[in-house]
Amino acid sequence: MAATVDGDKIEIRSRWIVDATGRKRLIGKKVTNYIRPEKQRSTFWFRLRKFQPFFDQIEVHRRRPWQFDPWLTTHHFMGRGYWIWCIPLELGRDNLCSIGFTYRPDLFGRRICSVDDFLAEVDRDHPAVAAMVRSGEIVDTQMYLDYFYKSERLYSEDGWFLVGDTVRAVDPLYSNGISMTTIQVGQITESSSASAMGR
């Protein structure tokens, strides 16, 4: 059963249902159980504007001259048990950048829940990033605490499939979320085609 905008209930029938609702897992929570691994990940991130990029504060080594603006890439900084992303979002007078700190809470023994927490950690290992943050204005902040999970089942002969973040949350550093989703879409296509042919 589903509800319309007016609140009327309607019945929809389908051969297959694919849950691609991400972390909400609207169907997934009804059809399978989720496991939370012991070694978790947490992340704190924010958007920064009107800042001075870090390039004039770091030594950059390159084998050949760049044929592009190096600021227009995703930047990663690594530390023990954590990594930082810096993703340019807008250029111009009001530069805008997404900056995030993804970490293993079991290695830190504490949470990163504010810009002050972020700066206290980053000052030691990556002072150029900390200086960039202090040079700008914080637009907003967000966080996910202990966000790792995975489903016990991905699909069923009963006619449902889970894809992407509905199946599991992974560390975005490895970018395997998109890769897994691509494989899952192939599985769904093959399974539904086989079912339609009566195999």
Side-chain angles (χ1 to χ4, degrees):
M1 296 295 289
T4 67
V5 176
D6 299 325
D8 298 328
K9 291 187 176 180
I10 58 174
E11 182 174 327
I12 300 173
R13 293 182 177 274
S14 174
R15 183 186 298 267
W16 302 103
I17 297 176
V18 179
D19 188 342
T21 59
R23 295 177 187 278
K24 288 187 177 182
R25 297 170 276 167
L26 294 178
I27 297 170
K29 289 179 179 177
K30 295 179 180 180
V31 296
T32 189
N33 295 316
Y34 286 88
I35 301 164
R36 297 187 65 80
E38 183 179 341
K39 292 183 179 176
Q40 279 293 325
R41 299 292 187 281
S42 292
T43 188
F44 172 81
W45 75 97
F46 54 94
R47 289 187 300 163
L48 183 73
R49 69 180 176 188
K50 298 183 179 178
F51 58 89
Q52 294 298 316
F54 53 74
F55 278 113
D56 60 352
Q57 300 189 49
I58 62 174
E59 248 185 273
V60 178
H61 299 278
R62 58 185 185 268
R63 294 191 300 180
R64 61 184 66 90
W66 285 321
Q67 302 298 316
F68 58 91
D69 181 350
W71 177 247
L72 300 178
T73 62
T74 300
H75 308 279
H76 297 92
F77 298 85
M78 310 305 242
R80 184 178 183 276
Y82 75 87
W83 64 279
I84 300 168
W85 77 74
C86 295
I87 305 174
L89 301 174
E90 291 180 13
L91 299 177
R93 188 181 63 185
D94 296 341
N95 279 344
L96 185 65
C97 183
S98 170
I99 302 176
F101 188 97
T102 299
Y103 61 100
R104 278 183 47 180
D106 59 313
L107 294 180
F108 277 78
R110 66 186 185 88
R111 302 286 191 185
I112 305 296
C113 298
S114 68
V115 175
D116 287 340
D117 291 344
F118 172 89
L119 290 171
E121 195 64 45
V122 175
D123 269 332
R124 289 195 309 270
D125 296 335
H126 303 290
V129 175
M132 183 178 83
V133 172
R134 288 191 174 96
S135 75
E137 300 174 4
I138 304 298
V139 177
D140 50 22
T141 64
Q142 299 286 336
M143 70 178 147
Y144 280 138
L145 298 178
D146 300 333
Y147 64 77
F148 266 13
Y149 59 81
K150 61 181 179 179
S151 62
E152 289 183 345
R153 298 183 69 187
L154 291 93
Y155 44 81
S156 166
E157 292 178 351
D158 295 334
W160 56 263
F161 297 91
L162 312 179
V163 296
D165 283 352
T166 304
V167 177
R168 67 188 305 173
V170 295
D171 191 326
L173 176 65
Y174 308 111
S175 300
N176 57 352
I178 294 174
S179 299
M180 285 195 310
T181 301
T182 302
I183 292 170
Q184 291 162 354
V185 169
Q187 291 174 331
I188 291 170
T189 303
E190 182 64 27
S191 297
S192 59
S193 297
S195 174
M197 294 174 66
R199 289 190 293 182

